[in-house]
Amino acid sequence: MYKVGMISLGCPKNQVDGEMMLSKLADAGFEIVTQIEQSDIMIVNTCGFIDDAKREAIETILEVAEYKKSGAISAIIVTGCLAQRYQDEIIKEMPEVDAVLGIGANADIVKACKKALCGIVTTSYPDRCNLPLDDKRILSTPSHWAYLKIADGCDNRCAFCAIPSIRGKYRSRKIESIIDEAKTLAQSGVKEVILIAQDTTKYGQDIYGEYKLDVLLTELVKIDGIEWIRLFYCYPHRITDSLIDVIKNNDKICNYIDIPLQHSSKNVLKAMNRPGDGDEYKMLVNKLRTEIPDISIRTTLMVGFPGEGESDFEDLCSFVKDVKFDKMGCFAFSPEEGTPAFDMKNQLDEQVKNRRAEVLMDTQYSITENCNKSRIGKKYKVIVDSFDDGKYTGRSYMDSPEIDSGIIFTSDKSICIGDFAEVVITDFDGYDLIGESV
């Protein structure tokens, strides 16, 4: 029995793809291991979205290659977005790699691994629509929560983004397929599912002719065992009144929404090929907070887009101060080949971009600090993620795993990982809340 391990990089959508590949390998008789030293084959499931992600992917492949050179492992397989984007360049530049599979070849992972063990180099880049949207998975997340991918691909064509060229057109799964998978997850002990796609709010339009996220959520809340449902990647102009009502009126759906706004300046958003402006976004946030008063809103913003002037950046800083997002991430623009923004005029200096990112995150930290102060004395339902050194770490409905902060708390009684606890907030430390179970 050959042993195979995987390092999965990048977004949750890529992670789910990796989980499907691991399941295929296990069904074919491979033993799945978690350490490079234990492996005969290592799969590096890469991200290729921005420079930092590409750099991480390449560095990871080179690190794994050192194990192959020493004889600790026999073969290296590269999959994911970097493999799709750069294809044969990977083999050319890194001859230690034994196979490069585009995302449309994920279903052929077993064949590629067997060939690699025989010394046969494989490259395969079939149509991206061959990427499986639903299949068995071996979860790489803790047993009490899981990502649930409802679609893949993207049609939005933002000027800075290479995802449409990497992942192809938007493809939704059938509602019945998603419900079946959610039931399977619930039966395995998963209590929290996080809905993901490049754009979850567009779900269903391609196969049903209209947005169906609200309908999907209405079906998901009926599943026994699922206690929390969380929404990622909701585009602002597709957040409908019906969707807001479904979130508002179903206790299982966390009052949490991730809306990647990118900017507030109308000029910058127009150059990004994104609709709307800061005033429209403020109206949406106010509407959400009026309809769902305790909603936690996360966003992602970009600074340093070509042509972003000081006035545009000041507009963005004022926007963040006014809106007071509960959670916010920020990254500096990265010029990606093959995108319209790659060779736009008025590219900004790296130092300027990084300084603006730091300023914006400092602005958000002050907002987070005030939010955390306001939560002292309040009680929250918390799902327990870990226990270490006498303290539990968990999350309320306001916190998503892996990207948000959490709640560190003590308890007089023992609590199992994956269980829920009632926690009163007593203090905070940076982004994290501190509390005691009651």
Side-chain angles (χ1 to χ4, degrees):
M1 181 182 292
Y2 288 103
K3 299 177 180 179
V4 61
M6 176 180 286
I7 299 172
S8 195
L9 305 171
C11 70
K13 299 173 285 294
N14 197 49
Q15 186 174 342
V16 170
D17 293 344
E19 292 172 347
M20 291 183 188
M21 286 190 279
L22 289 177
S23 181
K24 285 187 177 298
L25 289 162
D27 287 346
F30 287 85
E31 180 183 349
I32 309 302
V33 296
T34 58
Q35 301 296 323
I36 299 178
E37 297 86 348
Q38 302 169 337
S39 307
D40 297 303
I41 304 173
M42 275 302 298
I43 300 170
V44 184
N45 191 32
T46 60
C47 176
F49 177 46
I50 57 175
D51 279 344
D52 286 347
K54 289 185 287 186
R55 190 177 303 111
E56 181 186 22
I58 292 168
E59 289 174 354
T60 301
I61 295 169
L62 293 175
E63 287 172 10
V64 174
E66 292 301 315
Y67 285 88
K68 184 182 177 184
K69 289 177 183 177
S70 70
I73 64 174
S74 300
I76 303 171
I77 314 290
V78 177
T79 62
C81 289
L82 191 79
Q84 177 67 40
R85 189 171 185 185
Y86 293 103
Q87 302 189 357
D88 291 339
E89 290 180 48
I90 295 174
I91 290 281
K92 181 180 178 182
E93 297 296 329
M94 291 178 279
E96 300 88 354
V97 172
D98 298 274
V100 181
L101 304 182
I103 63 170
N106 280 8
D108 298 325
I109 187 65
V110 173
K111 188 186 302 182
C113 286
K114 289 180 177 179
K115 285 184 176 181
L117 288 168
C118 296
I120 302 172
V121 175
T122 303
T123 58
S124 180
Y125 317 106
D127 194 304
R128 294 162 298 186
C129 290
N130 291 339
L131 173 72
L133 293 184
D134 52 354
D135 210 338
K136 291 193 300 180
R137 297 159 56 189
I138 293 179
L139 295 184
S140 55
T141 55
S143 59
H144 58 282
W145 68 267
Y147 294 113
L148 182 56
K149 186 160 73 166
I150 64 174
D152 200 272
C154 187
D155 299 332
N156 289 328
R157 303 289 173 180
C158 300
F160 55 83
C161 185
I163 293 299
S165 64
I166 298 171
R167 287 272 169 176
K169 65 180 182 180
Y170 193 90
R171 294 186 298 141
S172 299
R173 294 172 60 182
K174 294 282 189 180
I175 288 178
E176 295 80 7
S177 166
I178 299 170
I179 297 301
D180 286 345
E181 182 176 3
K183 288 179 179 177
T184 300
L185 291 172
Q187 290 165 4
S188 71
V190 170
K191 298 176 182 178
E192 176 183 5
V193 293
I194 302 169
L195 271 55
I196 55 172
Q198 301 297 339
D199 176 357
T200 54
T201 37
K202 192 176 181 177
Y203 170 74
Q205 186 184 49
D206 56 318
I207 55 176
Y208 299 115
E210 58 184 349
Y211 302 148
K212 287 286 188 178
L213 182 58
D214 52 349
V215 176
L216 174 63
L217 289 168
T218 302
E219 294 301 314
L220 285 171
V221 298
K222 299 175 184 177
I223 299 174
D224 292 335
I226 300 295
E227 297 192 41
W228 278 0
I229 301 167
R230 193 180 297 276
L231 292 177
F232 271 17
Y233 316 127
C234 298
Y235 275 61
H237 55 289
R238 295 193 180 105
I239 298 175
T240 62
D241 290 344
S242 177
L243 177 60
I244 294 173
D245 286 341
V246 169
I247 298 171
K248 176 182 178 180
N249 295 315
N250 287 278
D251 291 339
K252 283 189 176 184
I253 303 173
C254 293
N255 289 346
Y256 174 107
I257 190 166
D258 177 283
I259 314 173
L261 297 177
Q262 305 303 346
H263 215 282
S264 60
S265 164
K266 188 169 186 175
N267 291 332
V268 174
L269 287 165
K270 183 178 180 180
M272 288 178 170
N273 196 31
R274 292 179 65 90
D277 57 32
D279 290 337
E280 291 182 26
Y281 294 166
K282 285 179 186 178
M283 290 174 61
L284 172 62
V285 170
N286 289 337
K287 183 175 185 178
L288 286 165
R289 286 175 171 163
T290 298
E291 295 293 325
I292 312 170
D294 62 345
I295 194 166
S296 180
I297 301 176
R298 158 174 269 283
T299 194
T300 305
L301 300 173
M302 178 190 292
V303 295
F305 190 80
E308 180 193 58
E310 282 294 338
S311 61
D312 297 311
F313 179 64
E314 290 171 5
D315 181 281
L316 183 59
C317 290
S318 297
F319 174 73
V320 169
K321 291 175 183 176
D322 291 344
V323 174
K324 295 181 174 59
F325 292 103
D326 300 272
K327 315 282 183 179
M328 190 197 84
C330 172
F331 62 99
F333 166 74
S334 169
E336 298 300 314
E337 59 267 40
T339 66
F342 178 72
D343 52 6
M344 279 184 176
K345 297 178 180 179
N346 301 317
Q347 300 279 340
L348 273 66
D349 183 81
E350 289 298 320
Q351 288 185 336
V352 173
K353 292 190 286 187
N354 292 332
R355 178 186 63 80
R356 289 181 179 180
E358 290 175 5
V359 169
L360 201 63
M361 288 308 299
D362 286 344
T363 301
Q364 177 62 30
Y365 182 79
S366 299
I367 295 167
T368 300
E369 193 173 44
N370 289 331
C371 284
N372 285 345
K373 285 180 182 178
S374 71
R375 288 173 180 139
I376 294 175
K378 294 183 179 179
K379 183 172 69 174
Y380 295 100
K381 179 181 178 181
V382 172
I383 192 166
V384 180
D385 287 329
S386 63
F387 177 77
D388 183 54
D389 195 25
K391 295 179 180 179
Y392 294 91
T393 299
R395 296 172 290 105
S396 72
Y397 76 90
M398 300 180 293
D399 312 305
S400 182
E402 299 189 327
I403 59 171
D404 290 334
S405 51
I407 299 176
I408 301 167
F409 68 97
T410 56
S411 176
D412 292 336
K413 64 178 182 179
S414 178
I415 307 172
C416 294
I417 304 301
D419 282 353
F420 287 93
E422 296 291 327
V423 176
V424 170
I425 306 304
T426 58
D427 202 351
F428 66 94
D429 182 11
Y431 286 99
D432 292 318
L433 296 171
I434 310 297
E436 299 173 352
S437 71
V438 294

